[in-house]
Amino acid sequence: MNEVHHELHGSMFSLLKKFVTHTYSEDMWHQLTNEAHTTGNFETTKSYPMSDILAIIKSASHHTGLSVIEIEEKFGEYLVPDLFKMYGSYLNPSWKTFDVLLNTERVMHGAVRHLNSAAHPPILNVSQVNEHLLIIDYYSKRKLASLAVGIIKGIADYYKEKESIAVKPTTEPDAERVQIRVEFKS
Ligand code: HEM
């Protein structure tokens, strides 16, 4: 029933390749994919096993000394400009971090599901507690909430709001359900 969650969309693998080659090197990508026993090339129209991306990330963790959680966060931060380029036409130009997050589930992940039947983004239930606080409930069997935290930070960076936004998981970050608190100061 939920076998789609054993896979991740090829666009995410291509973005991971770009992240690794830009942040580290091309050699590093070859090394990581060799160690993970995967090919280094992923098509953006297909999906690939979650176990592949997890093995690549684990191997990146060994090489860099960063934890898996830290790598996923850094990758999430990195991929935002590319993600926005790919789905830019769905972004209202008047939006900033707060509105993008409020609309991600309905508009952005909605568009992804509509345009790309091979993609199955996670469910994000975003609650607006008040004008300074959003609580995001992440739910996905892929357990990539640290990637979600990174994406939120990357969005804040994109809109130059990083200084005034605090992002923090308030439950265990490697679970299927994770609550993420996003506080807007000022
Ligand atoms: C705003 C524009 C966004 C776009 C265009 C976008 C697009 C996508 C796409 C194409 C995927 C791959 C789905 C698949 O593999 O089947 C994905 C996955 C994911 N997205 Fe988004 N996303 C956006 C925003 C966000 C935000 C704001 C968050 C976090 C709050 C987020 C969290 C994630 C996570 C964690 C995944 C990995 C898959 C999983 O955990 O199940 N995304 N997204």
Side-chain angles (χ1 to χ4, degrees), residues 126-186:
V126 184
S127 317
Q128 178 174 351
V129 178
N130 58 46
E131 59 188 14
H132 296 291
L133 183 62
L134 295 178
I135 300 287
I136 302 183
D137 285 300
Y138 164 93
Y139 174 62
S140 169
K141 291 195 180 300
R142 299 189 187 109
K143 300 184 184 173
L144 289 174
S146 299
L147 182 65
V149 169
I151 293 176
I152 298 169
K153 289 183 178 172
I155 293 174
D157 202 23
Y158 184 90
Y159 290 109
K160 310 221 177 317
E161 297 183 295
K162 214 174 173 183
E163 303 298 306
S164 57
I165 299 177
V167 188
K168 197 174 79 175
T170 53
T171 59
E172 280 306 312
D174 47 6
E176 282 182 15
R177 282 179 193 277
V178 180
Q179 192 166 84
I180 305 167
R181 182 188 164 93
V182 189
E183 198 178 347
F184 297 75
K185 297 171 236 169
S186 85

Side-chain angles (χ1 to χ4, degrees), residues 8-9 11-12 83-84 87 100-101 104 108-109 112 118-122 124 138 140 142 144 147-148 151-152 155:
L8 189 67
H9 197 244
S11 58
M12 288 287 161
L83 206 57
F84 277 17
Y87 292 92
V100 171
L101 293 178
T104 291
M108 307 310 299
H109 278 171
V112 171
H120 300 271
L124 303 169
Y138 164 93
S140 169
R142 299 189 187 109
L144 289 174
L147 182 65
I151 293 176
I152 298 169
I155 293 174

Side-chain angles (χ1 to χ4, degrees), residues 34-95:
N34 275 339
E35 284 174 12
H37 306 292
T38 67
T39 73
N41 289 306
F42 299 96
E43 291 176 37
T44 52
T45 48
K46 291 189 184 159
S47 291
Y48 298 89
M50 268 306 293
S51 53
D52 283 3
I53 202 155
L54 293 178
I56 296 170
I57 292 173
K58 209 171 236 174
S59 161
S61 162
H62 286 144
H63 283 278
T64 59
L66 298 170
S67 68
V68 165
I69 284 179
E70 286 167 329
I71 302 262
E72 287 177 3
E73 270 203 33
K74 274 179 175 290
F75 170 45
E77 286 194 61
Y78 180 88
L79 62 73
V80 168
D82 283 301
L83 206 57
F84 277 17
K85 238 180 260 164
M86 286 157 65
Y87 292 92
S89 58
Y90 291 88
L91 284 169
N92 184 321
S94 71
W95 287 348

